[in-house]
Amino acid sequence: MRNKKLLSTMLAATLTATTMAMPVMAADLTGNVPVDLGVKSGVLRVQLPTRMAIEIDQYELDNSGAGTNQIASVPFAMTNKGNVNVKVDVTSAVTLGPKVKLASTKEGAVESSGDAYAWLAVASATDIDNTISYDDPTTSGDALVEDCSQLNETNMNVSTFASSGDVKQTYYLKAASGDAEDITYRTYKSGDAVVDPFARFDRLDGEMSTGDEVFKKLETSDVYVVSGDTVRKLVRGTKSGDAGASFTTGEKAYVVSGDAKTSNDSNLFTAANELYVYGEGTEVKDGKAAFRYVGKLSEPKTWSKNDIKDITINYTIEGVGASTYETEAAKCTQGLYPSVTGPKVSVSATGLVTISGLTADKNYQSAAISLGGEEYDIEMAPVTWGTNDPWSEEEGGTLTAQLGTDWVNDLKADGAGKIIVTLTDDTTIEANIVLS
């Protein structure tokens, strides 16, 4: 029995080995699967003013507050009506008359050596629900700053014009509410009333007039169905019989040509037979922002349009992916964003550095001065730090530092500079330096 068992074991091993050694036959089948590549194009539609009024208000006729504001300005309001989150970069540039200079601080707007000084700044709205408010909760406490007169360069929502004559802000506007199906689409052609910028217009092409054409095209593309003044979008992959997928005689259908333009393109509607489509949705609170100009003028000069000649506004708008939007928007230091209450740095005309709004998570780590395109550690030259500042390593608070004579002389010689403060979470805040 032992030999029989051994033989059976050996036979089983041989059979197993033979089975394992047998080559695996390749299947005599080949094939390919076509892959359709499409592009999901979002609706960009940001409503912006086409004009903005700004006035010199030397006698504060438009000011009801306890502070000073000698620049009267209507709000520059922005509303995202598209289904794409966007970032809006705004640059304001001022043209000054002779013997007029810009002050880096509100209190620095004092006539000096025959030159008049103006403190000019942009104040971003911090609430835009029912009425526009420019309140900075870090300084006002429970009292709303409703008229901008109490704002100055240290406020979280204020950006001061640099000595170069410009100032920049970045705003993040959340997409309109609802899904793509909640977007209202409209056509636009030569001769129609102008749409407030910024809107993305897609040129419609490839006219179709039968259901067979439409549903064949829907296999590879989105289709826009035009019926009189109304437009509805059929999403790629929609089939006949699906909800909302009807197409009736007399309607026309189109696909987007890929030739996207914006309403501020000068050559947008040159051809009378071109038809465009644009969309808009219902805005949400975080999809709106606004700013206005504030300022103080030195005395005893009588100011006129020859002193502050004009202010120009340039903006760029770009879409932001849904997965990164919240992270990017949280870093923003203007307007409606949480970090408006975070740390901020400012430098007075005499070189006093103030770092406010520091917290346990965002505390002071280091600082550098930028001169002539190079950055230098602030401790490379004498600096006197405040000894009684309401600040601690554990809780944060407010820090002050007076730049020494070496820093002041170098900054004056260079004309301007910048301070960059690194916080304990490795983010940075910065401010321009213009000394008088």
Side-chain angles (χ1 to χ4, degrees):
M1 291 295 294
R2 183 184 303 172
N3 290 339
K4 186 175 180 180
K5 184 177 182 180
L6 178 60
L7 178 61
S8 300
T9 305
M10 290 178 61
L11 180 60
T14 304
L15 288 172
T16 303
T18 303
T19 303
M20 295 178 64
M22 287 177 65
V24 178
M25 299 297 292
D28 290 327
L29 295 174
T30 61
N32 59 75
V33 177
V35 178
D36 295 324
L37 178 62
V39 177
K40 223 170 177 51
S41 59
V43 174
L44 279 176
R45 172 78 170 92
V46 181
Q47 188 168 299
L48 301 172
T50 54
R51 300 182 65 84
M52 187 171 182
I54 304 167
E55 297 178 320
I56 295 172
D57 187 15
Q58 182 170 359
Y59 303 107
E60 300 171 71
L61 303 177
D62 193 38
N63 180 26
S64 59
T68 303
N69 184 33
Q70 294 171 307
I71 299 296
S73 161
V74 299
F76 187 94
M78 299 167 276
T79 305
N80 187 0
K81 289 179 172 288
N83 64 352
V84 176
N85 302 314
V86 298
K87 179 177 77 166
V88 184
D89 288 313
V90 181
T91 300
S92 301
V94 62
T95 303
L96 301 173
K99 305 291 286 180
V100 176
K101 295 184 177 180
L102 290 171
S104 61
T105 65
K106 190 173 186 177
E107 294 306 312
V110 179
E111 193 165 299
S112 176
S113 302
D115 291 327
Y117 278 82
W119 174 71
L120 297 178
V122 174
S124 297
T126 53
D127 192 357
I128 203 167
D129 254 356
N130 298 314
T131 59
I132 296 178
S133 171
Y134 298 90
D135 171 45
D136 177 358
T138 65
T139 57
S140 67
D142 294 330
L144 278 180
V145 180
E146 297 190 37
D147 51 35
C148 299
S149 66
Q150 293 161 289
L151 299 177
N152 59 42
E153 69 284 349
T154 65
N155 286 105
M156 305 302 301
N157 59 325
V158 172
S159 299
T160 298
F161 278 80
S163 58
S164 58
D166 62 9
V167 62
K168 298 179 180 180
Q169 297 89 40
T170 297
Y171 299 93
Y172 286 87
L173 307 180
K174 199 161 192 174
S177 62
D179 299 324
E181 289 75 15
D182 297 316
I183 296 290
T184 299
Y185 291 93
R186 296 182 173 87
T187 57
Y188 198 107
K189 60 184 181 300
S190 178
D192 286 351
V194 175
V195 177
D196 288 345
F198 176 95
R200 168 187 164 129
F201 290 83
D202 290 292
R203 186 164 63 85
L204 296 178
D205 205 356
E207 182 179 300
M208 295 167 280
S209 56
T210 69
D212 289 343
E213 292 177 291
V214 170
F215 290 107
K216 180 64 176 174
K217 182 59 69 174
L218 280 168
E219 294 176 4
T220 56
S221 302
D222 294 339
V223 171
Y224 293 85
V225 179
V226 179
S227 179
D229 295 329
T230 64
V231 183
R232 66 182 186 276
K233 180 181 179 180
L234 300 180
V235 180
R236 176 189 174 194
T238 300
K239 295 179 174 59
S240 178
D242 290 350
S246 62
F247 183 84
T248 59
T249 303
E251 293 181 324
K252 301 292 184 183
Y254 305 86
V255 293
V256 167
S257 70
D259 184 14
K261 297 182 179 179
T262 58
S263 49
N264 52 357
D265 284 343
S266 59
N267 62 343
L268 181 54
F269 307 113
T270 54
N273 61 340
E274 287 186 346
L275 186 65
Y276 291 82
V277 65
Y278 71 97
E280 63 181 29
T282 303
E283 69 272 11
V284 297
K285 177 181 178 181
D286 290 342
K288 297 186 286 185
F291 66 83
R292 61 159 291 170
Y293 296 97
V294 295
K296 182 183 177 183
L297 310 173
S298 64
E299 298 177 347
K301 175 181 175 57
T302 300
W303 290 76
S304 73
K305 289 198 299 183
N306 294 323
D307 300 311
I308 301 176
K309 295 185 175 182
D310 63 57
I311 294 177
T312 59
I313 300 172
N314 293 301
Y315 61 85
T316 60
I317 298 173
E318 61 182 271
V320 180
S323 62
T324 59
Y325 176 78
E326 297 296 341
T327 302
E328 288 197 33
K331 298 176 183 176
C332 193
T333 56
Q334 286 105 22
L336 308 175
Y337 311 102
S339 56
V340 74
T341 60
K344 188 170 184 179
V345 60
S346 64
V347 184
S348 73
T350 59
L352 179 65
V353 178
T354 302
I355 310 170
S356 57
L358 296 168
T359 65
D361 296 327
K362 287 179 170 286
N363 214 337
Y364 175 81
Q365 183 178 149
S366 63
I369 303 290
S370 175
L371 274 172
E374 299 288 336
E375 288 187 15
Y376 305 93
D377 191 294
I378 196 170
E379 301 292 352
M380 287 184 64
V383 174
T384 303
W385 292 91
T387 54
N388 296 312
D389 291 339
W391 174 86
S392 71
E393 288 187 30
E394 295 77 23
E395 300 296 331
T398 299
L399 271 175
T400 61
Q402 176 61 52
L403 299 178
T405 304
D406 291 341
W407 279 126
V408 170
N409 290 340
D410 286 346
L411 286 161
K412 285 184 175 180
D414 214 54
K418 182 183 292 186
I419 184 168
I420 302 101
V421 176
T422 301
L423 305 175
T424 50
D425 65 351
D426 291 329
T427 60
T428 60
I429 53 175
E430 58 185 55
N432 293 316
I433 304 174
V434 182
L435 303 183
S436 59

